[in-house]
Amino acid sequence: AAPPPSAAGEPAPPPPPLQYSLLLQHLVGDKRQPRVWDPNTLGGIPCPPKSEEQKMVERVMESCPFKAALACVGGFVLGGAFGIFTAGIDTNVGFDPKDPYRTPTAKEVLKDMGQRGISYAKNFAIVGAMFSCTECVVESYRGKSDWKNSVISGCITGGAIGFRAGLKAGVIGCGGFAAFSAAVDYYLR
């Protein structure tokens, strides 16, 4: 209903007060109109819907076997580099107790670098795959992705590696790997 026309010189009557019940019906009630979320209205970059191939690739890359294989390869490369580096700076390469002043040959140094690089690469690959597998399984079991997953999987991995040397070494390995995993996770997040 329109307000009655005012006489000349009289101010217009104020509008009727806003009724919150009517406003709520339009915001949360049955008269509410659903809006389609469009990133363009918010200034975002438009993103086309994903194809089935893209969804399949995402599922493969989020799977536990893929994560374990990636950690294994990454551990192998990192361990190999670390082994080559440590062999290159080691002063005991080619050491002969009969002749302590003998300088090792380049062939001996390169042979030791290769052997140590392969040894470290295998160890790092195994540890990386174990940690990645246990973290993925723990994350799947818990249904959450937080810092606790890396701590639990670090404890399992460290305990399994240390347990070969006994119970005490397993407990120390569990605590050490869990603390290291927590520190890395805290730093990365």
Side-chain angles (χ1 to χ4, degrees), residues 1-78:
S6 59
E10 288 184 29
L18 184 63
Q19 295 180 358
Y20 289 106
S21 61
L22 293 175
L23 180 64
L24 285 176
Q25 284 181 356
H26 287 284
L27 292 176
V28 293
D30 55 356
K31 293 182 181 178
R32 176 179 174 264
Q33 297 293 322
R35 291 188 177 187
V36 177
W37 185 76
D38 184 15
N40 293 329
T41 60
L42 301 174
I45 299 172
C47 185
K50 294 179 183 173
S51 66
E52 288 301 316
E53 290 84 13
Q54 288 173 325
K55 292 177 184 177
M56 182 184 68
V57 168
E58 281 184 0
R59 283 192 300 269
V60 167
M61 292 181 83
E62 289 296 321
S63 68
C64 289
F66 181 80
K67 288 179 179 180
L70 189 64
C72 186
V73 169
F76 189 85
V77 170
L78 183 67

Side-chain angles (χ1 to χ4, degrees), residues 12 153 187:
S153 59
Y187 178 74

Side-chain angles (χ1 to χ4, degrees), residues 67-69 71-72 123-138 153-162 164 177:
K67 288 179 179 180
C72 186
N123 290 337
F124 275 54
I126 290 169
V127 170
M130 283 177 63
F131 180 81
S132 180
C133 283
T134 55
E135 185 177 33
C136 193
V137 169
V138 167
S153 59
C155 181
I156 292 169
T157 303
I161 292 171
R164 295 183 301 175
F177 260 76

Side-chain angles (χ1 to χ4, degrees), residues 67 92 115 162 176 188:
K67 288 179 179 180
N92 291 329
Q115 289 174 344
L188 292 179

Side-chain angles (χ1 to χ4, degrees), residues 62-106:
E62 289 296 321
S63 68
C64 289
F66 181 80
K67 288 179 179 180
L70 189 64
C72 186
V73 169
F76 189 85
V77 170
L78 183 67
F82 189 70
I84 289 171
F85 175 74
T86 57
I89 62 172
D90 189 7
T91 58
N92 291 329
V93 174
F95 179 74
D96 186 11
K98 295 177 186 173
D99 186 12
Y101 297 109
R102 184 180 76 84
T103 304
T105 64

Side-chain angles (χ1 to χ4, degrees), residues 107-158:
K107 184 177 181 180
E108 291 173 337
V109 172
L110 290 174
K111 181 180 176 186
D112 188 55
M113 288 172 77
Q115 289 174 344
R116 197 176 301 191
I118 291 295
S119 175
Y120 277 48
K122 289 190 292 187
N123 290 337
F124 275 54
I126 290 169
V127 170
M130 283 177 63
F131 180 81
S132 180
C133 283
T134 55
E135 185 177 33
C136 193
V137 169
V138 167
E139 184 176 329
S140 298
Y141 178 75
R142 291 186 66 230
K144 296 178 184 177
S145 180
D146 58 3
W147 63 273
K148 293 178 185 176
N149 295 339
S150 61
V151 171
I152 293 169
S153 59
C155 181
I156 292 169
T157 303

